[in-house]
Structures are given as C-alpha cells and as structure tokens.
C-alpha cells in the first residue's frame, strides 16, 4: 500500500462524495430527485431532466460485465507487474456503468454478462478503489 505507484484519483467538488464513499467501502451514486435517474460520473445537473436536486444512494455492489479488454501492454509503468490485466465496463444493478478491473480470477475466465460483485482495494491512506470479482 505504501509504494503504490499508479495514478491516483483526482478529487473535485462533484466526485468528492463518491471518493469519500469508497474510503468507507460504499459505492455511492447521485440519484436525481426530479426523474429518478442514477448517474455516473457525478455532476451538478441531471443529464436527463436538468434538475439540480439530487440525493446520494449506496449501490448494492452487484452487476455484470458489459464488455471488457485484456491489457497485455502497460501504458504506465505502475501497471507493468499486473500484466495481463482486465479492464471492464461493469453494468451495475442500479443502472450506471463503471470502468474498473476484474480481479480474483484469470483473464481467461472473464466473459460478457458474467455476474460480478464489488471487491475493495485499499491503495493509500486516502483512497480505496472499487474493483469487481466474479460472484460465486
Ligand atoms: Zn433527472
């Protein structure tokens, strides 16, 4: 954890609540109070109805692999020891799609529509990353 050498999240006013949730191992999303749309990434207005009225909800952490890619080349030296690794677009039960890694299995086992569940990775004192592993 102390020698984490990958890029760190950039916190801003919109995503501050998201990253605070991750630190508490809660995957939080904005839900529009106007139309009920659950959105990601976080923003000040709803992309569906332009309402600024929102609440934060905690996602179940369950979803499925929408699509994925297996990286055999590290485009940042911090990822060299992870090769090959899987980057997936995970479709959450609540609707949002989130880009993350599939962990806890070989990249040969990853399939589209594969059920997955959250697996937190505590990378520094301040940050925990939401990753996903097969639901079994
Ligand atoms: Zn809305």
């Amino acid at each position: 954890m102390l020698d984490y050498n990958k890029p760190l999240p950039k916190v801003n006013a919109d995503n501050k609540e998201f990253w605070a949730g991750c630190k508490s191992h809660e995957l939080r999303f904005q839900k529009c109070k106007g139309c009920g749309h659950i959105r990601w990434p976080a923003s000040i207005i709803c992309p569906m109805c332009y309402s600024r009225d929102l609440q934060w909800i905690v996602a179940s952490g369950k979803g499925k692999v929408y699509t994925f890619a297996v990286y055999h080349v590290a485009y940042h030296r911090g990822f060299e020891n992870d090769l090959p690794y899987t980057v997936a677009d995970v479709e959450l039960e609540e609707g949002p799609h989130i880009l993350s890694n599939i962990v806890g299995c070989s990249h040969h086992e990853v399939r589209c529509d594969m059920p997955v569940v959250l697996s937190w990775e505590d990378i520094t004192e301040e940050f925990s990353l939401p990753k996903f592993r097969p639901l079994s």
Side-chain angles (χ1 to χ4, degrees):
M1 186 152 92
L2 291 174
D3 51 2
Y4 188 81
N5 64 348
K6 296 170 184 165
L8 291 171
K10 294 202 182 344
V11 178
N12 62 36
D14 289 337
N15 67 28
K16 189 173 64 174
E17 183 70 20
F18 175 83
W19 289 113
C22 289
K23 185 62 202 155
S24 306
H25 290 188
E26 285 185 354
L27 194 58
R28 298 177 188 163
F29 290 102
Q30 293 173 324
K31 182 176 183 177
C32 176
K33 283 188 173 178
C35 72
H37 178 65
I38 298 171
R39 63 185 186 255
W40 174 253
S43 61
I44 60 168
I45 63 166
C46 175
M48 306 303 279
C49 74
Y50 311 115
S51 171
R52 290 173 179 261
D53 206 10
L54 66 89
Q55 63 180 338
W56 286 87
I57 62 156
V58 179
S60 69
K62 291 179 185 166
K64 62 183 182 180
V65 174
Y66 183 76
T67 190
F68 67 97
V70 177
Y71 280 62
H72 294 273
V73 174
Y75 294 99
H76 182 286
R77 60 183 305 192
F79 294 88
E80 285 171 353
N81 293 329
D82 295 348
L83 296 174
Y85 64 93
T86 307
V87 175
D89 172 327
V90 173
E91 181 180 358
L92 295 163
E93 276 185 346
E94 292 80 8
H97 286 221
I98 186 169
L99 272 181
S100 183
N101 296 120
I102 305 300
V103 297
C105 69
S106 159
H107 65 279
H108 294 293
E109 298 170 60
V110 179
R111 297 283 180 273
C112 289
D113 289 331
M114 184 174 86
V116 290
V117 65
L118 267 175
S119 180
W120 291 103
E121 187 176 316
D122 299 324
I123 57 168
T124 67
E125 293 296 324
E126 290 147 87
F127 291 108
S128 296
L129 298 182
K131 302 206 169 179
F132 292 84
R133 59 178 166 76
L135 179 67
S136 54

